[in-house]
Amino acid sequence: TIGDLPEDAYGYVLVQLFSIENGKLTVHAGRVLCVLPEGNVPAISVTAPSVFSPAGGRELSIFVGHDVPCSLSVSIVDMDGKTMHRLCHKQSTRPMQLCPSGSVFYWDGVLKSGETLPDGTYQIRVQAYTEEDSVTVLSEPFTMNQGG
């Protein structure tokens, strides 16, 4: 159980379903839940390398900085703002013990169609949500270069 908490409490809760049989603990399921803060959305930032080449199995590493738990939508967009690929939609953050605080996403450059994103200039759009509000930020542009 969770005891009385202040109204402004937020953070993460680990929920596990387990059994104990003959003294042996077996975890059947587990999930980290994000308890969103009330009020304003957190300060959000997004950074990624300025050039991405998926050659050789490389992945684009995307760091989303956030100072409190939130839900995130992360997309690759062209320079007109058109969504090319969505990495996640309203996904709860989870504690990663990073400094500065944040979440890391990885993408192999492959679209839902199975094709690789064409060479060009793109950005990463991050939308962060709390119970009452949302904010959107864009990364600096990055260049997709399939040739490596």
Side-chain angles (χ1 to χ4, degrees), residues 6-46:
E7 281 188 29
D8 61 349
Y10 60 85
Y12 299 97
V13 177
L14 173 62
V15 178
Q16 289 186 318
L17 176 62
F18 62 90
S19 64
I20 301 175
E21 188 172 329
N22 298 325
K24 181 181 177 193
L25 177 89
T26 303
V27 177
H28 300 283
R31 184 170 181 126
V32 175
L33 302 176
C34 173
V35 180
L36 303 176
E38 292 185 14
N40 296 334
V41 292
I44 297 292
S45 63
V46 57

Side-chain angles (χ1 to χ4, degrees), residues 52 59-63 85 87 96 104-109:
F52 172 50
E59 294 181 315
L60 180 65
S61 174
I62 302 164
F63 175 76
H85 184 76
L87 280 74
M96 298 187 82
V104 180
F105 297 85
Y106 297 96
W107 182 51
D108 61 4

Side-chain angles (χ1 to χ4, degrees), residues 30-106:
R31 184 170 181 126
V32 175
L33 302 176
C34 173
V35 180
L36 303 176
E38 292 185 14
N40 296 334
V41 292
I44 297 292
S45 63
V46 57
T47 56
S50 60
V51 177
F52 172 50
S53 174
R58 292 186 201 118
E59 294 181 315
L60 180 65
S61 174
I62 302 164
F63 175 76
V64 178
H66 52 87
D67 53 356
V68 295
C70 58
S71 293
L72 297 173
S73 294
V74 180
S75 300
I76 307 299
V77 298
D78 67 14
M79 296 309 288
D80 294 326
K82 178 183 172 192
T83 299
M84 305 304 291
H85 184 76
R86 178 175 284 149
L87 280 74
C88 66
H89 179 67
K90 290 191 175 181
Q91 177 179 310
S92 294
T93 59
R94 62 183 182 84
M96 298 187 82
Q97 308 305 320
L98 300 174
C99 187
S101 297
S103 299
V104 180
F105 297 85
Y106 297 96

